[in-house]
Amino acid sequence: MAVTVPGLPFDFIQTDVAGGTVGFIFKSTADAFYYNGTTVTKITDVDYPTTTVRGIAYLDGTYYVMNPNGEIFGSGINTPTSWTALNKIVAQMEPDAGVCLARLLNYIVAFGAYTTEFFFDAGNPAPGSPLSPYTSGMLNVGCAAAGSVAQTNNQLFFIGVTKQRGRSVYALTGTAPQILSTPTIERILNGSDLSSVFSFCVKISGHNFYVLTLVDKDITLAYDVDTGDWKEWTSLTPQTPQAITSLTYDTTTCLVTATTGTAHSITDGDPVIIAGATQTQYNGAVNVQYRDANTFTYAPLNTPVVTPATGSPTVVRYVSGAFIGRFYAGFGNIELVQDSAGNLYALDQNTYQDAGNPIDVHIRTPQVDGGVNKKKFFQELQVIGDSDDTLVFVRYSGDDYQSWSNYRSVDLNLRRASIHRLGQSRRRAFEIRHTDNTPLRLEALELTFEVGNN
Amino acid sequence: MRFNLANLNDARDADREQDSWGVNCFLEKDNELRTLKRPGLISTIDVVGSGTVGQGLFIWPDSTKTNPQVVVIFDDVMLIHEFDAELEKLIWNSDPEVPIAPEGFITTEFGWDIGDPSTPSGVVVESPYPVTFPLEPIPVGPFPGWEILAGSLPNSVTEYLPLTLLGGSLAQCNAGTQDIYRCSDGITWDGGITWPGPYYESVALAWYDGTYLKSVSSIERDGIFLRLSAASQTFLGNDFLSVLYPENAQFQTFVDSNYVYWIDNYRNPGGNIEIMRSPVSPPAAVAWSQIGTNLPESDVGTVGRGGYHLKTIVVLGSTFYSIPPGGVAGKKVYSSTDLITWTLLTSDWGLGTSTVRQIAQQAYTDKIVILLNDDNVATTTDGITWTKSDYITVIGSTFTPYSLVKFGSDWYTAGGSKWAKLLGSRVP
């Protein structure tokens, strides 16, 4: 069989142009292939390890892979299909297993289960490995998941693990590790079984991101290398259209009430697509207000003349999950990601949807009390940001995030993008939501309130 | 009171339901008080319905080629796509054949099924996942269109000796020996197969119907219809044409499932534009008969030689479309189902001053494709709405195109010893 284990992720490395081996190697942990621009050749040399860990590295004409025992194998000089049994060195400062192999600067980096060792090209004579260990660079930090290793510029990122404490995200700049994760992020890391982890680094909009997906937790965490900030990235997946049994327009509230025969599973503020109404004013991409399990309302994009609507209206809701990009490749201005099914997408800073599906932006604030715990009477909330023909939705909580108001829309195209009559409480947290296919750049919330006497 | 929205994510527990949290946003680099929406995704090559497991992605800056190659692995199939590096960004439709945005696109090229057990390295696959996604508008440009191919053609391509198709190959004919030369890979030509004779004046490899290579030629006023296989020919007979100037109408031929048609596309002094037809299969002899006597004039072409009133007729489905010469000579497009009654579809097909250089005589696709004088191609599916490309001029005055054929998924034109290729994905 061409691949001995189907469905495994592959790592790639370009072969040496100067050395005359135009092409690239692609390998999984079970198989390796070399493409020379014309044909694909499976690497079947008996000295190529049967099983390797993730990663392949190139240094001074030699390609390196590592097996789970921490043995690092080298190819012949610029001959990626030829391997010799003696071209081997072992990462054995500690007896831990090999997890992943990478290259950083002029070092081959061997990630172990709880240590990391560095090797450099010492020019050792053939047939042995040209590598020697950089003994003073050994780290007592291992790699918790091979899929978490990603590289940008001169940094390696990975989920690190030590004997002493739980998991953290590290950046290796040279041989010096730096912890990037916050306690919040580490809680998430420690709650994952790390059975399926994907990561990549991408530079876009002038920022370098380390994007880490934990499949079992269905979460993607994006670390902004330039600002040191972690954010969550999600993707929305459209669901099967659900029939709407009635669509009525209320001329007093200017809202459409939609009723479904079965529970719609839509939550307040969700983006949906209404379609199929004969009167097209009812149709479109809207955000809904939750009423009950079978009813929601929304502001139509155009005013219906006929009510109730006729036709066969349906609603498509979305389910939120981890960001769909699993693998990444970049070159020049190309920024591509591949999802779990193999589909390709271009990352584009001037695109405000994910392949036609909304991007669900949430910004939840800390609790605000103005420095005093007395009851406040909130009169107005202004959203300060770039004007655009779009709506953001705002809701608030006065009980430590336990319960929330319904979302209220704020038109960013207005001179004062604000809402009024916000009730009372001692502390308030706000959440902004935006799903329109438009840019969004927000700066602050401006709150007008009066402080009570107790 | 004003408070900042640019807060660090700080949930108190793994549920992330409390305390500050940001989703799908990031802090602006130059002003960390501002929060921006994260970049979005544009669908590119879509393998929905075929792919189930994505396994990796790589961009190979192949030093031997102008463009970098996008390598994708899914379902143990490695596909190599070409990215057009002349363009600043790449944006695609879900259909790899169709670019949707101005800056560029990639196309599916080939790959290996490395999960196929036939060989240790898998088997070669080409276009393994044809997709049928809705087509989007052609991009605004200009962007690269034709690419002049390396090397020379084995024979000079002229008005009378165009490129055509022969089975799975491009084909052309030698003017002297009438031997047929073929190209099966879009790159190299074979050494030619011997024409068995007899010889005819100006044999043109006019079209290939999937079984036979056919040609219409003229000797004096004879209209000779040849039906050929790749290695032999069958002389089907000849018949006189009654119209004047028949030799000048030699290439205004087209075919449907029943007849071969021959158009006199000049309006003779005091006469009409005329069309002849002969049964195409299986005639014992060519039997030209005239259909109608007054084909629609495209506009203002002058009477007699030198002024087309009708460039040609193309059949698409069961409808005939009259193609005007374009430019000042005529922009009217007519349609007919019987070649007798014609309906004016549009008085101006919207292609400006562009004139028609070549027309793909066979309905290779679901649209009519014509090559204009400025390198561009225009297409239509109804004769009314025409879409014109906006290519960067490449052919220019390098050669005069005398053919327009679709071979595989791409288009070819040629003139003299030079030829050029147009990726099918770039045809509007």
Side-chain angles (χ1 to χ4, degrees), chain A residues 119-426:
Chain A
F119 296 84
F120 67 98
D121 184 357
N124 299 325
S129 173
L131 299 179
S132 290
Y134 176 55
T135 52
S136 58
M138 198 272 284
L139 305 177
N140 282 313
V141 178
C143 180
S148 70
V149 178
Q151 187 163 23
T152 181
N153 301 333
N154 289 321
Q155 287 186 304
L156 273 176
F157 298 85
F158 63 102
I159 299 176
V161 61
T162 68
K163 294 177 180 176
Q164 288 77 32
R165 55 179 296 188
R167 301 156 178 162
S168 303
V169 172
Y170 288 80
L172 267 181
T173 306
T175 58
Q178 175 192 2
I179 294 179
L180 306 178
S181 48
T182 64
T184 299
I185 300 301
E186 290 171 5
R187 266 195 297 273
I188 298 170
L189 297 178
N190 290 329
S192 170
D193 62 16
L194 300 185
S195 58
S196 181
V197 177
F198 297 90
S199 65
F200 59 85
C201 291
V202 57
K203 183 173 185 179
I204 196 163
S205 301
H207 293 245
N208 290 287
F209 293 99
Y210 169 61
V211 182
L212 175 68
T213 297
L214 310 175
V215 175
D216 70 312
K217 306 303 288 185
D218 198 19
I219 186 172
T220 297
L221 302 165
Y223 176 74
D224 187 335
V225 178
D226 296 277
T227 63
D229 182 34
W230 286 91
K231 288 287 185 282
E232 181 180 354
W233 284 10
T234 65
S235 293
L236 294 180
T237 304
Q239 303 300 293
T240 304
Q242 181 181 8
I244 295 175
T245 54
S246 77
L247 274 178
T248 58
Y249 178 67
D250 186 326
T251 56
T252 304
T253 63
C254 297
L255 294 176
V256 172
T257 299
T259 304
T260 56
T262 56
H264 51 61
S265 302
I266 298 169
T267 60
D268 191 59
D270 280 355
V272 300
I273 297 175
I274 307 293
T278 303
Q279 296 76 27
T280 57
Q281 299 92 344
Y282 288 93
N283 299 331
V286 297
N287 293 76
V288 306
Q289 288 186 309
Y290 176 88
R291 297 301 178 194
D292 61 40
N294 291 73
T295 311
F296 60 85
T297 61
Y298 64 91
L301 301 179
N302 297 290
T303 304
V305 178
V306 175
T307 187
T310 59
S312 303
T314 60
V315 57
V316 171
R317 68 183 180 93
Y318 297 89
V319 169
S320 181
F323 182 65
I324 59 176
R326 295 284 177 85
F327 298 94
Y328 164 85
F331 178 84
N333 288 328
I334 315 172
E335 302 279 2
L336 292 176
V337 295
Q338 182 190 40
D339 71 9
S340 60
N343 304 314
L344 282 190
Y345 306 88
L347 266 166
D348 182 61
Q349 62 186 10
N350 297 315
T351 296
Y352 310 108
Q353 289 188 318
D354 284 344
N357 297 321
I359 297 174
D360 196 1
V361 177
H362 287 261
I363 304 170
R364 191 171 67 221
T365 70
Q367 296 191 87
V368 176
D369 61 11
V372 58
N373 201 35
K374 291 182 178 178
K375 185 171 287 185
K376 290 101 188 163
F377 299 87
F378 299 97
Q379 298 158 349
E380 181 187 27
L381 178 76
Q382 281 190 64
V383 178
I384 310 299
D386 291 356
S387 293
D388 210 331
D389 185 15
T390 186
L391 298 176
V392 297
F393 294 83
V394 181
R395 67 176 184 174
Y396 49 86
S397 171
D399 58 0
D400 193 21
Y401 307 95
Q402 298 302 310
S403 62
W404 292 89
S405 68
N406 278 348
Y407 279 106
R408 295 169 64 180
S409 64
V410 180
D411 187 346
L412 290 186
N413 221 16
L414 298 179
R415 189 165 53 87
R416 287 169 68 90
S418 63
I419 53 175
H420 300 81
R421 304 180 66 178
L422 303 169
Q424 55 177 312
S425 64
R426 297 184 186 280

Side-chain angles (χ1 to χ4, degrees), chain B residues 357-370:
Chain B
R357 177 76 74 184
Q358 292 296 328
I359 300 166
Q361 289 287 347
Q362 292 173 269
Y364 298 103
T365 62
D366 57 352
K367 56 192 172 187
I368 298 170
V369 181
I370 63 176

Side-chain angles (χ1 to χ4, degrees), chain B residues 274-298:
Chain B
E274 296 169 337
I275 185 169
M276 313 291 291
R277 76 177 180 188
S278 172
V280 68
S281 176
V286 176
W288 296 106
S289 59
Q290 189 165 10
I291 319 166
T293 57
N294 193 16
L295 293 181
E297 297 182 4
S298 296

Side-chain angles (χ1 to χ4, degrees), chain B residues 56-73:
Chain B
L57 174 64
F58 178 60
I59 294 180
W60 176 38
D62 183 358
S63 60
T64 66
K65 296 180 179 175
T66 304
N67 299 327
Q69 313 290 302
V70 178
V71 183
V72 184
I73 300 180

Side-chain angles (χ1 to χ4, degrees), chain A residues 11 27 29 52-55 66-71 91 96-102 109-116 142-149 158-159 161:
Chain A
D11 300 304
K27 67 168 283 288
T29 55
T52 64
V53 297
R54 289 286 305 274
M66 183 167 70
N67 71 8
N69 296 328
E71 297 172 306
D96 54 340
V99 174
C100 185
L101 192 73
V109 184
F111 289 102
Y114 54 85
T115 64
T116 299
C143 180
S148 70
V149 178
F158 63 102
I159 299 176
V161 61

Side-chain angles (χ1 to χ4, degrees), chain A residues 2 8 10 42 187 207 232 234 338 340 344 346 354-355 360 362 364 368 400 436 441-442 445-447, chain B residues 1-3 11-12 16 18-19 21 23-24 27-28 35 37-38 40-42 44 54-56 114 121:
Chain A
L8 293 177
F10 278 81
K42 184 172 182 178
R187 266 195 297 273
H207 293 245
E232 181 180 354
T234 65
Q338 182 190 40
S340 60
L344 282 190
D354 284 344
D360 196 1
H362 287 261
R364 191 171 67 221
V368 176
D400 193 21
D436 281 352
R441 187 169 72 164
L442 300 178
L445 296 180
E446 193 165 292
L447 194 57
Chain B
M1 181 185 73
R2 176 174 287 199
F3 56 100
R12 69 190 70 174
R16 312 188 301 279
Q18 294 171 286
D19 301 319
W21 196 256
V23 179
N24 292 318
L27 307 185
E28 193 170 58
T35 303
K37 191 175 190 173
R38 72 157 168 83
L41 299 175
I42 302 168
T44 59
Q55 295 171 265
I114 56 174
S121 301

